[in-house]
């Protein structure tokens, strides 16, 4: 019976004081003092689980019997993130070791699969989808840990607020607020050195990951060298020919006589002789004009040497060899079929006429083609490769290991410090609930008598005449009128935060749109349509010879590989930075939302990082799963879309027959193989649409409205502390019970608004026209 006496006493006290509470407008009433005294007397028993435990089992909960509390403690939530990033490390390391052992490598590149090009494309897309979700997982886990590291302790906040100075002099004009519950650069100046160092390690280890991860695997497409000889019918009978005559006949035609064709290290006499001897052999096949044109119009089709016969009535020369050209894969965006597509026009043409071609003219003298005889494409081994870079993948594994190790060290140090920490001032304030609990236990003198203050009250302004200097912090402690203001969500964030996010997002979209527009100009110059159906025909994430990125980077490996890897992945790094700003903006909205709902009669215990008893817990800091999961998924999707929009491309040149000394047939032509970047116009277009939608989404979310009862405090530690100057009765243990915000007393016609543990029916809401502090 002794256990229930305090409760019975509290109930009776509440009943006897109900009239006093309804008359709270008198000069010196303190309507909740007796109730609070009785309430606090029972609090310890409530916390120990000896009162009402049979009706409220959660009162007896602790980490030993509640998984809710066990897993939601911040140290264990961090451990879950460590396990997650450890799983990513295991995946990366396991796949890398398996690839190195199974496939080997040469000159820093290994081949995982060689064969059908469609299968290579499918492997490339699905592997990049996996890579981008693993990369987003690393970013998310790292960002979570960075946010934990940047969260301030109560001692950090007091130092930033300059609370001792304000306690001694209420007119003190210095102090700086810190962020609560969001990723913050502002807080880095006030946290401890080791936490700042760990934050920097996590931040900078993310940079090379996003600059390289997507190029750890890539597709390498093969494209053949070949030589074309334009001849009379007598050529097959062994009649005479002259290279000099053929070179004079082609002069002035860019498709036949230009520095990007006819490589100088080839023995063309030997090549033409080989073609003359074998042109009628079994390894060669006849093709009509249409089939021959289509064969050499395809950049990546298996192609060998070809002999093009002209109609005799268009020829006046005596030599049987009229022209010749030796073709190699081009690293610009003019493909390698200009000799055929120009159709004797002597002007640059990339896009061939619509198939089938029935009339075909070649060279300045416009020789009309009769038919062709080419090396049988079925006998030419020309396969795509799905390749990987062991140095890149090992670097990713090392950086992944560094992240996991730093996070593990943070967890171990936190665990040791938490075991040794008894001073509440050293407790880290991760969430809004952590901050409210701390300010309830020990109110901050900086914000005394400012119960209705908003975040705007603590902004140090800059004068227009000298914008480099901030004005002193001036605090208005006078009682102020309350009025209901249903503010938009976007007002929770500062103008600077909005400007940075929208400026960076819009600038990124604008630059991407300008580059896409420039690509449209390039495609139109090549007679390509830029309609959506036409862009779709170029393929989503497909490499085409017309969509190489020509920016003057090195072509040859390893310089070509490294420089193009960095260029291809630069947008990935930019997106990761935008993700952090976007996350911070959404977190800011939700911190204010959590605060603005704390006046409701359905009172709840505080949501804290280290819950005790009936205190609420969570696995997140500020982003609930219903917001966090879509954000994570959208980020992974955007990373994948970017990987399909701009990507590393490796072209492997394959030697043609006829010159066994300088370039044996069927072997890789290292001199003319190259690395470059390719882009997919339709993928860029889709990425821009999705990116614009994501930016629009945060703006639309910002147009939601908060309930206008409570002040706009956002993540501002000073504004939050202003609402937490609780009555003396609630300071010791009130933070452990369900709390509600409201008017707790009225003295001399001025009300006091703060949090309290009193019953909801005993708490008044502020009224328009009355003064409160």
């Amino acid at each position: 019976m002794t256990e229930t006496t305090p409760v019975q006493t509290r109930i009776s006290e509440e009943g006897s004081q109900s009239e006093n509470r309804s008359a709270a407008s008198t000069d010196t009433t303190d309507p909740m003092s007796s109730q609070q005294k009785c309430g606090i007397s029972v609090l310890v028993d409530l916390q120990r689980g000896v009162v009402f435990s049979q009706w409220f089992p959660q009162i007896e909960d602790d980490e030993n019997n509640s998984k809710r509390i066990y897993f939601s403690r911040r140290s264990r939530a961090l451990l879950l993130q460590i396990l997650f990033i450890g799983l990513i490390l295991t995946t990366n390391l396991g796949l890398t070791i398996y690839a190195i052992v199974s496939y080997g490598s040469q000159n820093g590149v290994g081949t995982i699969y060689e064969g059908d090009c469609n299968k290579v494309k499918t492997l490339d897309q699905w592997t990049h989808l996996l890579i981008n979700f693993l990369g987003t997982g690393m970013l998310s886990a790292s960002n979570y840990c960075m946010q934990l590291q940047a969260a301030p302790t109560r001692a950090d906040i007091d130092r930033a607020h300059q609370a001792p100075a304000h306690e001694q002099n209420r007119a003190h004009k210095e102090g700086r607020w810190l962020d609560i519950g969001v990723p913050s650069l502002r807080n880095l100046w006030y946290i401890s050195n080791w936490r700042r160092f760990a934050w920097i390690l996590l931040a900078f280890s993310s940079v090379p990951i996003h600059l390289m991860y997507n190029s750890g695997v890539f597709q390498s497409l093969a494209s053949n060298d070949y030589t074309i000889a334009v001849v009379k019918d007598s050529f097959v009978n062994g009649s005479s020919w002259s290279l000099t005559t053929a070179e004079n006949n082609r002069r002035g035609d860019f498709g036949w006589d230009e520095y990007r064709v006819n490589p100088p290290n080839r023995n063309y006499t030997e090549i033409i002789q080989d073609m003359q001897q074998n042109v009628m052999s079994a390894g060669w096949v006849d093709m009509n004009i249409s089939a021959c044109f289509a064969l050499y119009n395809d950049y990546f089709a298996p192609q060998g040497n070809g002999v093009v016969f002209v109609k005799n009535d268009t020829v006046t020369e005596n030599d049987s060899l009229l022209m010749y050209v030796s073709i190699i894969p081009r690293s610009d965006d003019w493909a390698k079929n200009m000799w055929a597509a120009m159709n004797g026009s002597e002007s640059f043409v990339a896009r061939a006429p619509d198939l089938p071609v029935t009339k075909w003219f070649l060279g300045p003298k416009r020789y009309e083609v009769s038919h062709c005889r080419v090396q049988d494409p079925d006998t030419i081994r020309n396969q795509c490769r799905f390749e990987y870079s062991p140095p890149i993948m090992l670097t990713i594994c090392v950086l992944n290991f560094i992240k996991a190790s730093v996070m593990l060290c943070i967890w171990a140090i936190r665990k040791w410090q938490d075991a040794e920490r008894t001073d509440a001032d050293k407790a880290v304030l991760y969430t809004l609930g952590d901050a409210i609990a701390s300010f309830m236990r020990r109110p901050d003198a900086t914000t005394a008598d400012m119960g209705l203050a908003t975040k705007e009250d603590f902004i140090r302004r800059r004068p227009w005449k000298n914008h480099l200097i901030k004005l002193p912090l001036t605090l208005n402690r006078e009682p102020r009128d309350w009025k209901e203001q249903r503010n938009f969500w976007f007002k929770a964030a500062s103008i600077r935060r909005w400007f940075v996010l929208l400026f960076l997002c819009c600038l990124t979209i604008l630059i991407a749109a300008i580059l896409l527009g420039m690509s449209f100009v390039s495609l139109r110059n090549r007679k390509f349509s830029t309609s959506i159906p036409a862009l779709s025909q170029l393929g989503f994430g497909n490499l085409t010879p017309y969509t190489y990125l020509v920016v003057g980077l090195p072509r040859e490996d390893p310089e070509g590989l490294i420089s193009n890897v960095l260029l291809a992945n630069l947008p990935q790094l930019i997106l990761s930075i935008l993700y952090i700003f976007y996350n911070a903006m959404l977190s800011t909205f939700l911190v204010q939302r959590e605060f603005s709902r704390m006046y409701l009669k359905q009172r709840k215990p505080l949501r804290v990082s280290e819950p005790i008893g009936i205190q609420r817990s969570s696995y997140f800091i500020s982003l609930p799963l219903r917001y966090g999961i879509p954000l994570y998924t959208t980020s992974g999707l955007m990373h994948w879309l970017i990987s399909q929009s701009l990507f590393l491309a490796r072209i492997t040149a394959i030697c043609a027959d006829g010159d066994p000394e300088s370039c044996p047939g069927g072997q890789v032509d290292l001199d003319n193989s190259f690395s470059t970047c390719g882009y997919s116009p339709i993928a860029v277009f889709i990425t821009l649409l999705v990116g614009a939608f994501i930016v629009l989404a945060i703006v639309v979310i910002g147009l939601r409205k908060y309930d206008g009862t409570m002040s706009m405090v956002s993540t501002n530690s000073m504004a939050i502390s202003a609402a937490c100057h609780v009555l003396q009765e609630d300071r010791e243990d009130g933070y452990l019970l369900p709390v509600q915000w409201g008017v707790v007393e009225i003295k001399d016609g001025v009300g006091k608004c703060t949090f309290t543990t009193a019953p909801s029916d005993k708490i008044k809401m502020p009224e328009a026209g009355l003064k409160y502090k």
Side-chain angles (χ1 to χ4, degrees), residues 407-536:
M407 293 173 67
L408 189 61
C409 289
I410 291 171
W411 174 81
I413 293 174
R414 282 173 44 83
K415 191 174 181 65
W416 169 72
Q417 287 183 336
D418 289 343
E420 299 292 328
R421 182 178 288 150
T422 56
D423 187 355
D425 287 350
K426 295 182 179 179
V428 184
L429 309 184
Y430 300 110
T431 67
L432 175 66
D434 291 335
I436 293 175
S438 176
F439 292 130
M440 286 181 66
R441 298 175 70 182
R442 185 170 63 81
D444 180 12
T446 306
T447 57
D449 297 329
M450 300 180 68
L452 293 183
T454 70
K455 66 185 181 72
E456 299 298 328
D457 289 295
F458 306 101
I459 303 299
R460 296 178 60 182
R461 309 296 178 182
R462 298 176 186 268
W464 286 105
K465 293 183 179 180
N466 192 346
H467 203 62
L468 297 177
I469 299 177
K470 287 186 177 181
L471 295 175
L473 179 66
T474 303
L475 301 180
N476 179 16
R477 302 184 190 275
E478 295 298 321
R480 61 186 74 189
D481 292 328
W482 175 89
K483 61 179 180 179
E484 184 177 11
Q485 285 187 312
R486 288 178 54 83
N487 288 311
F488 290 105
W489 280 29
F490 69 78
K491 291 188 176 180
S494 65
I495 295 177
R496 177 188 297 177
R497 189 185 293 274
W498 270 111
F499 175 78
V500 170
L501 176 64
L502 293 183
F503 176 77
L504 291 178
C505 288
C506 293
L507 180 63
T508 302
I509 292 175
L510 178 62
I511 292 175
I514 291 174
L515 294 177
L516 180 61
M518 293 172 64
S519 75
F520 285 176
V521 173
S522 176
L523 289 173
R524 290 193 189 102
N525 289 337
R526 289 155 178 77
K527 309 303 180 183
F528 282 90
S529 171
T530 53
S531 65
I532 299 300
L535 295 179
S536 300

Side-chain angles (χ1 to χ4, degrees), residues 14 42 101 104 177 355 364 405 449 480 495 504 509 606 710:
E14 292 171 359
V42 76
V101 171
W177 58 272
L355 300 179
S405 300
D449 297 329
R480 61 186 74 189
I495 295 177
L504 291 178
I509 292 175
L606 295 174
M710 298 184 68

Side-chain angles (χ1 to χ4, degrees), residues 295-405:
L295 172 66
Y296 290 106
N297 189 51
D298 191 333
Y299 191 96
F300 298 110
Q303 299 160 336
N305 294 333
V307 175
V308 179
F309 294 89
V310 299
K311 294 182 178 180
N312 289 333
D313 58 358
T314 63
V315 178
T316 59
E317 288 84 354
N318 293 322
D319 287 350
S320 61
L321 177 64
L322 303 176
M323 294 191 302
Y324 75 91
V325 64
S326 182
I327 300 298
I328 56 175
R330 295 176 62 146
S331 58
D332 57 12
D333 50 2
W334 285 93
K336 63 174 187 177
N337 64 335
M338 289 176 60
W339 66 270
M342 288 172 62
N343 209 17
S345 64
E346 299 185 13
S347 59
F348 280 101
V349 176
R351 185 179 182 183
D354 294 334
L355 300 179
V357 173
T358 56
K359 275 191 175 293
W360 187 10
F361 299 92
L362 296 175
K365 295 187 176 182
R366 293 179 59 81
Y367 298 115
E368 185 175 357
V369 177
S370 171
H371 67 283
C372 301
R373 190 163 176 84
V374 301
Q375 287 183 293
D376 189 351
D378 293 335
T379 64
I380 299 173
R381 187 173 179 269
N382 188 16
Q383 297 179 317
C384 297
R385 295 177 176 87
F386 184 56
E387 297 180 325
Y388 76 105
S389 173
I392 290 179
M393 290 309 302
L394 288 173
T395 302
I396 295 298
C397 291
V398 170
L399 294 169
N400 196 168
F401 176 77
I402 290 174
K403 280 189 176 293
S405 300

